[in-house]
Amino acid sequence: MANLFISKQEFMDEFKEKYVELEGREFPEKADITVSYVTLLRLLREKINVCWIDTVKKYAKYNERQIYYFSMEFLIGRLLKYYLVNLDIQDVVEAGLEEMGINYEDVLEQEADPGTGNGGLGRLAACLLDSMAHMGMAGHGNGMRYRFGLFNQKIVNGYQMELPDNWLKNGYPWERCKRDKAVIVKFNGNIVYSEENGSPKFTLENYQPVLAVPYDIPMIGMKEALNINNLRLWSAEPVEEEMDMTSFNTGNFGKAMQYQSEVEAISYILYPDDRYPSGRELRLKQEYLIVSAGIQSIINYQKKNGLRIQNLSRKVGLHINDTHPALCVPELMRILLDEEHLSWDQAWIITNNTISYTNHTILPEALEKWPVGLVKTLLPRVYQIIEEIDRRYIEEINLKYDGEAKGLLDKTAVIRDGYVHMACLAIIGSYSVNGVAKLHSKILKENIFPEFNLIYPEKFTNITNGVSHRRFLFSANPTLSDLVTSKIGDKWREKAADLINLKKFEEDKEFLEAINQTKLENKKALAKYIEKSNGIIINPDSIFDIQVKRIHAYKRQLLSALKIMDLYNRIKDNPNLD
C-alpha cells in the first residue's frame, strides 16, 4: 500500500473523475482552487478509509494491547502535505496537479490549521501519535474538539490583538463524526446510597447530562505496510434540543437558550480563562468530559470485542499527558465499581495496572490542583472515590512509615489544604511516572517528588521528549532532507537513529558548504514570503531568530523580543559593536 497511485496519469484520471462528480460539469480548463482542494481530500480520504478499516481489523485479529493517550492538546497541524509524504505520493500528486494547471502550494494553503493544541504539550502528543502509527503500535489519541483554538494573533499598531480562531467555520474534512458512538457524561447531582444483594450501590440522581459526540481523525504512519491509528476528539452537545419557550416568547432569549449554551461552552475554547470561578469550573468540565467519554468509549469497544473486564489492564493502557486527564484514575474506578460491580480491591488493581502518567512541569506552583468544594459539587461521585483513594493511601503510609508518615503525607496526600492535588492522584493511581528528558526526570525524583520516589521508586522512569523527524525535517525541509539522503541513504526517514551516520561528514568541507547553501536558500524563501505578506524587505544573510508561537507575557518569546531591543539599542549607541 506504499503507492496509492501507480502513476501520475492514474492520479490525474481519478482526480478529474472526482472533480466532475463534485462539480457536476466537465473538468474546466482552469480548475477552481477550493474545489481542487476538496477533490484531492475526497480522493485521498476514500483510499485512506480502506486502510483505516484494515488496521482496525488487524488489531482485533492479533488481540493487541491498545494504548489510549489522553491529552487536552493535540497540536497536529495541517495534515494534507504530511499525509502525502507519509503515503509516498507527494511527487506524483504535485506533478499531476501542475500538469492540470493547478498550483500545488495553493492547494495546500486551503487547509485550516486545526485549533486542537497550542504548545509543547500538544506537539509531544501529536509526535507520539505519529511515532506509534509509524511503528505499527496500536496507539490512539483522546482529546477535545475545540470549536475555537487558543486565539488568532494580529499585531495592530504594535499591540497584540487576540481574535477567535474559528478553524471549523468551513468544517474539517479529515474528521468523521461517529454520532452512534456518543456517550452521556454526568455533572452535578446528588448521590443516593442503597444496597443490592448485600453490596453497596451508589446512584447519581438529578444530574446535568451532556452528550459527548466523538469525531475521529486518521493518524497515518510512514511505512510500507500502511498503519492508521485514531485520534478521537470529543464535542459537547445538549442531550436534547431543550428550549424554554415561555422565556423565549417573553423576550428573555438568553434564559431560553441557557442549557444549550452552558453545554456547548464546554468544547468551545482551549484553556478558558481560569482567573474567575466560572472559568475554573469550565476547565474542570472539559477535563472530566474527555476522561469520562474516552473511558466509556474504550470499555464499550473492548467489551463489544469480547473483553472480560477483569482483563482490562492486559488489553488497554490509559496514558495521562500531564495532570489535565488525572481524573482517569477515579473515573475508571467509578466505572469498575458502579457499572461493572467489582470490589474496591479488584478495581484498584486493574486501575493501577492500566494507567501511566507523563509529568511536564518542574514548577511546584504549576502542578494542577482543584478546590475541594468545586470537585465535590461538580463531580460528587468522583469526589467520593478520590476521598476513598486518599483515605486508603494515608492508611497505607501510616502503617508502612510510622514516625516518618506525617512528613511524607504533608507532601503526598491527594486531599490537603482544601485542594485536590492532581499530580498526587496521577502518581498514586499509575504504574509508571515519567519525565520528558533525562534531566527533567532526575529533577522530578530528587526535587519535585522525592517523597513519592521514596515510596514508589519502581514507578519513576524517563522517556525523552522528541519530535517527529519525519515531519519537522523530512516534510518541512525537503532540500536538507535530499542532502542528508544523498549521504546516508533514505532509511533515516523510518529510523531516526540512522542520522548518527552524518557524524562521519562533520569535517567534510563540501558537505558543510552544501548545508550552508541549503540554509541560505531556505532563508531566501522566507525573506520572499515576509516581503510578500508583510511588505518588509530583509537581508537573507542576517541571523534569523524564529519562534513559531503566540506571544505570552510569561513566555520566553518576550525575553527574546527584549533581547532584540537591547541589541538594537546597544548597536545604535556603539556602531562598532560586534
Side-chain angles (χ1 to χ4, degrees), residues 43-57:
L43 195 56
L44 286 174
R45 201 169 63 182
E46 287 175 9
K47 293 178 177 292
I48 286 168
N49 284 347
V50 175
C51 303
W52 203 354
I53 293 167
D54 288 344
T55 303
V56 172
K57 288 178 179 176

Side-chain angles (χ1 to χ4, degrees), residues 113-133:
D113 197 342
T116 53
N118 169 47
L121 185 81
R123 193 267 311 151
L124 170 64
C127 286
L128 280 172
L129 292 186
D130 169 79
S131 295
M132 287 191 285

Side-chain angles (χ1 to χ4, degrees), residues 33 97-98 101-108:
I33 200 68
L97 289 175
E98 296 293 345
I102 303 166
N103 185 278
Y104 174 67
E105 293 296 334
D106 287 347
V107 171
L108 297 182

Side-chain angles (χ1 to χ4, degrees), residues 242-264:
E242 290 189 10
M243 188 174 75
D244 182 344
M245 287 299 295
T246 303
S247 297
F248 189 87
N249 289 332
T250 55
N252 193 346
F253 308 124
K255 185 173 183 294
M257 304 297 290
Q258 185 175 358
Y259 165 69
Q260 183 172 339
S261 299
E262 285 179 1
V263 169
E264 291 177 347

Side-chain angles (χ1 to χ4, degrees), residues 73 163 211 282 298 330 365 369 555:
E73 297 185 47
L163 306 173
L211 189 69
L282 187 55
I298 291 161
E365 65 271 20
K369 59 183 182 180
K555 292 287 189 182

Side-chain angles (χ1 to χ4, degrees), residues 160 162 550-559 562:
Q160 173 170 289
E162 299 182 5
R550 297 171 178 90
I551 297 170
H552 290 288
Y554 63 92
K555 292 287 189 182
R556 61 181 175 269
Q557 288 87 342
L558 181 63
L559 296 176
L562 290 172

